[in-house]
Amino acid sequence: MAVRKTYLAVIGAALLLGGCSFSSEALWPTLAGSESDTGNTSVSGTDPMGSDAVTDYDVAESTRPLTGVSQTGTFVGSRVENMQQELNRLKSALSQHSNQLQNLRAQTVAHSQAYHGTVAAISARLQVGTTPGNPVLVQQWNTAQSELDRVNDDIAALNSLANKVAADSTLSTFLLESVRSAYQVSGAVDEDHRQLALLEDETNRTTVLIDRLLNEISESLSRQTSYVSTERANLNALALAVKNGEIFGDSLSKRVFQSQAAPAPSSQRMASTSERPLVVIRFDSPSVKYEQALYNAVNRVLERRPQASFDVVAVTPNRGTPAQVALNSNKSKRNAQAVLRSLTDMGMPSSRVRASDTRSASVSANEVHVFVR
């Protein structure tokens, strides 16, 4: 008898523990979710194109068609039915536009990954050294430019989507005003006002989602436009590196801040320019490799003085006959223009560099001096 009581007590305790476990799960739901609903659970992570403020769950829940509006036979009741149809069409458009934004983001990420993969391959080859103008690297550079153009096309698609969502916003505002004005129409029954209140709440929720979606698109546009602009400058600097067969570094535009002051005329001599040149390039041979040294010197200056500007001065030897001096002066000016183009290709804005020329009896060959302003 005692054994039987003990057996019953054990069974009772097991049932109580099972009941407690069930009650615990009901009162304190797990945050991880069960295996059956993991397919519907989104895991937040780092999105290179920006985090999603309007989640798929929010849009799916708030864009379901509004139902439950009954016919009352009044004029206000018929208006309620018409506004319900308009609201459901607006919700459907919002759902489509939200899905379009997600697809565009995924497409942009794929294009950006392809672009950076190609750029990384070019940089890796340049890092170990290669021949100037390597045709393989030239082809890869063209491919990278095409991938960046695709990202630019995604920006155009985002602009088009922004216009559509802006139209949705206008429609939601008009619909909300129509619902609120319907309260003032005479001849309505209590059921009409109840349904109007339901319509007003749903329209408000939809308007909030539209505003959030519009803000997301605006932020994405700003972010991606800046991204493409920066990568265009980096790609130009990479083209110069491919041309010379050696890598320089990131575009100088990353360190340069556009000055609001207008540059001084090139005819004026540089009063604020340091007397000692930053770089002296001596063109005493047909092929002079100066780009790497020029990049390193300018980059160091911009690290310390982001607002610095530069003067490129063509220096001609003041020796020989007037004809020889004139000929050397033309060559020296062309050399200065080449240095100026090199700085532009490295990402230096043209407004931050000015060119001039001078003659000197202390030099024996054509030179180009770069001064810091």
Side-chain angles (χ1 to χ4, degrees):
M1 189 66 175
V3 174
R4 184 178 179 183
K5 290 181 179 179
T6 303
Y7 179 74
L8 291 175
V10 170
I11 294 177
L15 291 175
L16 287 173
L17 288 175
C20 291
S21 176
F22 175 80
S23 300
S24 175
E25 292 177 359
L27 293 174
W28 307 100
T30 176
L31 295 177
S34 61
E35 294 181 0
S36 62
D37 59 5
T38 53
N40 298 326
T41 303
S42 61
V43 180
S44 61
T46 302
D47 184 357
M49 305 313 294
S51 60
D52 298 341
V54 180
T55 63
D56 294 336
Y57 175 79
D58 291 335
V59 174
E61 286 295 316
S62 298
T63 56
R64 290 178 179 176
L66 178 62
T67 58
V69 175
S70 59
Q71 298 180 357
T72 61
T74 64
F75 174 73
V76 176
S78 64
R79 289 191 60 182
V80 168
E81 293 179 18
N82 293 334
M83 288 186 289
Q84 178 195 9
Q85 295 173 3
E86 290 292 335
L87 178 59
N88 287 337
R89 281 194 289 268
L90 180 62
K91 287 186 172 186
S92 176
L94 174 61
S95 179
Q96 293 175 5
H97 296 158
S98 177
N99 292 335
Q100 187 177 354
L101 174 61
Q102 303 308 321
N103 293 335
L104 279 175
R105 278 177 166 168
Q107 182 175 294
T108 302
V109 168
H111 292 159
S112 299
Q113 288 175 343
Y115 164 76
H116 284 291
T118 306
V119 169
I122 298 173
S123 300
R125 186 66 176 270
L126 291 171
Q127 189 69 33
V128 298
T130 185
T131 57
N134 189 323
V136 175
L137 297 188
V138 171
Q139 179 61 36
Q140 289 179 332
W141 187 92
N142 291 331
T143 301
Q145 187 179 41
S146 298
E147 294 295 342
L148 194 59
D149 289 338
R150 292 189 178 95
V151 177
N152 198 49
D153 292 340
D154 295 338
I155 294 177
L158 268 179
N159 271 315
S160 177
L161 180 59
N163 294 332
K164 295 177 182 178
V165 178
D168 292 343
S169 179
T170 303
L171 179 58
S172 68
T173 302
F174 172 77
L175 185 58
L176 188 59
E177 292 177 354
S178 299
V179 171
R180 290 172 177 172
S181 64
Y183 282 106
Q184 309 301 324
V185 179
S186 62
V189 297
D190 291 340
E191 179 62 18
D192 292 333
H193 280 201
R194 187 192 69 81
Q195 294 178 0
L196 283 173
L198 178 62
L199 270 175
E200 184 178 9
D201 291 343
E202 287 296 317
T203 306
N204 275 322
R205 292 179 61 188
T206 305
T207 301
V208 169
L209 283 179
I210 291 174
D211 290 342
R212 290 181 182 176
L213 185 60
L214 199 57
N215 288 336
E216 281 191 47
I217 296 175
S218 177
E219 291 174 0
S220 294
L221 278 172
S222 176
R223 184 168 51 246
Q224 293 181 29
T225 301
S226 176
Y227 163 80
V228 169
S229 177
T230 300
E231 291 306 319
R232 289 285 186 201
N234 289 337
L235 207 56
N236 288 337
L238 192 62
L240 184 62
V242 171
K243 176 184 176 182
N244 291 275
E246 57 181 347
I247 195 167
F248 298 139
D250 292 333
S251 172
L252 294 176
S253 61
K254 289 187 174 181
R255 300 192 182 278
V256 171
F257 297 89
Q258 289 286 355
S259 176
Q260 299 299 325
S266 58
S267 59
Q268 296 180 2
R269 190 62 182 128
M270 298 73 78
S272 60
T273 302
S274 59
E275 294 297 330
R276 183 177 180 182
L278 174 68
V279 177
V280 175
I281 306 172
R282 184 172 293 104
F283 289 89
D284 53 0
S285 64
S287 179
V288 178
K289 292 185 176 296
Y290 60 86
E291 285 89 354
Q292 184 67 69
L294 177 64
Y295 175 88
N296 293 338
V298 172
N299 190 46
R300 284 195 299 267
V301 170
L302 292 176
E303 286 179 353
R304 299 190 303 269
R305 295 173 52 190
Q307 296 289 344
S309 299
F310 300 89
D311 287 311
V312 177
V313 182
V315 182
T316 305
N318 194 12
R319 299 178 181 179
T321 64
Q324 291 175 335
V325 172
L327 183 62
N328 286 332
S329 178
N330 290 334
K331 291 181 180 179
S332 184
K333 289 178 182 178
R334 288 197 297 270
N335 293 335
Q337 291 297 324
V339 173
L340 194 63
R341 285 195 300 271
S342 296
L343 285 173
T344 304
D345 292 340
M346 293 174 188
M348 177 67 65
S350 58
S351 61
R352 302 289 293 274
V353 186
R354 64 186 183 187
S356 61
D357 65 284
T358 186
R359 298 177 184 178
S360 175
S362 61
V363 298
S364 58
N366 289 335
E367 296 181 354
V368 174
H369 296 182
V370 180
F371 295 87
V372 181
R373 281 192 281 125

